[in-house]
Amino acid sequence: MKQFDVKVIPFEAVYNFRDMGGYKARDGRVVKSRMFFRSAALGKMTAADKQLFETLGVRTIFDYRDNHEAQNNPNPIFPHAHYIQIPAKGNHAFEMPTNTGGKDFYKVVSPEMFQEFYAQMPFNNASFKELMTIIQNPNNLGLVHHCAVGKDRTGIGGALILLALDVPEETIMEDYLDTNVHLRPMVERMAQGIQQHYNERELQQFYALMSAREDYLQAAFDAMDRRYGSKAAFLEQEFGLTVDKRRQLQANCLT
C-alpha cells in the first residue's frame, strides 16, 4: 500500500504533471510540496493551463530535451521562471521519437537497448550534474523538470532528486511507475495512429518503450551500485553531494 498521495496537477494540455511532495524519507520526514514538480513537455499549454501554472510558485523550468525537441515544441515563457535546457540523453545513437529522424524509433529500439540507455544516463551527464547543483540553492525552488513525456529522462532526474533526499528506492520506483497511469490516454491515442503501419511485434515493442518498466529504472540503480558500491558514494562522486551537502539539501526540502 502506498504511503503517499500522488499530487497530479490537472492541466488541460500537459500530461503527467505531478508534485513530488509528500514522499517519506528514511528518517520519517516528508518531501515538502511545491518544491519539485515532474512533467511531460509544457509547450501545448492552454490559456487556462498558463494561469494555473502561475499559481504554483515555479522559479526554475529544467528541460532535459535535445535542442531539436525543444525548438519543435518550445516551452511557454513565464516571466518569473528561469529556463534551463541541457540535453540528458547522452551519446546514444538513436534519435528520440519527438525528433525528426526518430519516426522509426519504436521499430528499431528494443527494450534491451532501453535498459542500457537507463544504465548509462546517470553517469557523466552534464544535464543531471547541473540539476543537482541547481536544487541545492533554495532560491531555485520550486523546480519543474521535464522531457517529452516525463518518463525516461525525467524518471532518472526524479530518482536522483529523491535519492539525494534519502527517499527509499521502493518509493522512488512507485513514483516512476505511476507515470503509466498518467500517460495511458496519450499512449493509446498514439497507438491508434501508428497501428496500421506496425506489425504485432513492432506494436508490442512500442508499448514496451512507452511504458515505465521496473527493469528500466532498476538498470540505473544497479549500475550506480556496480560502479560506486552504494548510492551515497555515487551521489558524492558524480555530483559532489557530500554528507554535509545532502544534510543541508534535506533540511531545505524535507519537513
Side-chain angles (χ1 to χ4, degrees), residues 96-201:
M96 298 308 285
T98 39
N99 264 339
T100 44
K103 61 180 172 46
D104 290 327
F105 177 87
Y106 303 109
K107 294 186 178 184
V108 300
V109 178
S110 68
E112 292 72 26
M113 290 168 68
F114 229 46
Q115 278 189 33
E116 180 60 23
F117 174 40
Y118 270 75
Q120 294 293 329
M121 259 198 294
F123 306 101
N124 195 29
N125 190 314
S127 187
F128 296 132
K129 285 180 189 292
E130 183 64 14
L131 174 74
M132 301 310 272
T133 299
I134 289 288
I135 67 170
Q136 292 179 68
N137 183 343
N139 294 328
N140 295 327
L141 307 176
L143 175 140
V144 177
H145 61 121
H146 77 87
C147 51
V149 299
K151 176 173 75 78
D152 305 309
R153 293 163 286 185
T154 305
I156 294 290
L160 295 176
I161 290 169
L162 294 176
L163 281 174
L165 295 176
D166 209 28
V167 172
E169 286 170 46
E170 313 83 73
T171 305
I172 297 171
M173 185 66 77
E174 288 179 352
D175 172 70
Y176 169 70
L177 294 175
D178 274 332
T179 283
N180 290 323
V181 175
H182 307 301
L183 288 186
R184 190 168 294 138
M186 186 187 78
V187 171
E188 290 305 325
R189 197 170 65 248
M190 289 172 68
Q192 291 291 320
I194 64 171
Q195 60 187 5
Q196 63 193 37
H197 308 291
Y198 278 53
N199 63 37
E200 185 59 33
R201 184 194 64 79

Side-chain angles (χ1 to χ4, degrees), residues 33-118:
S33 297
R34 299 201 172 192
M35 301 291 275
F36 304 104
F37 301 93
R38 55 176 297 168
S39 179
L42 309 176
K44 302 290 194 286
M45 277 189 174
T46 63
D49 286 343
K50 291 176 181 176
Q51 283 187 319
L52 176 56
F53 189 89
E54 292 274 24
T55 70
L56 298 178
V58 171
R59 295 176 181 173
T60 306
I61 299 172
F62 199 105
D63 187 346
Y64 301 119
R65 295 176 300 167
D66 295 351
N67 297 334
H68 288 302
E69 291 178 282
Q71 288 160 10
N72 291 339
N73 184 18
N75 279 305
I77 302 301
F78 295 98
H80 303 298
H82 179 50
Y83 175 58
I84 301 165
Q85 184 245 323
I86 305 174
K89 179 172 76 76
N91 298 318
H92 285 268
F94 55 77
E95 286 283 353
M96 298 308 285
T98 39
N99 264 339
T100 44
K103 61 180 172 46
D104 290 327
F105 177 87
Y106 303 109
K107 294 186 178 184
V108 300
V109 178
S110 68
E112 292 72 26
M113 290 168 68
F114 229 46
Q115 278 189 33
E116 180 60 23
F117 174 40
Y118 270 75

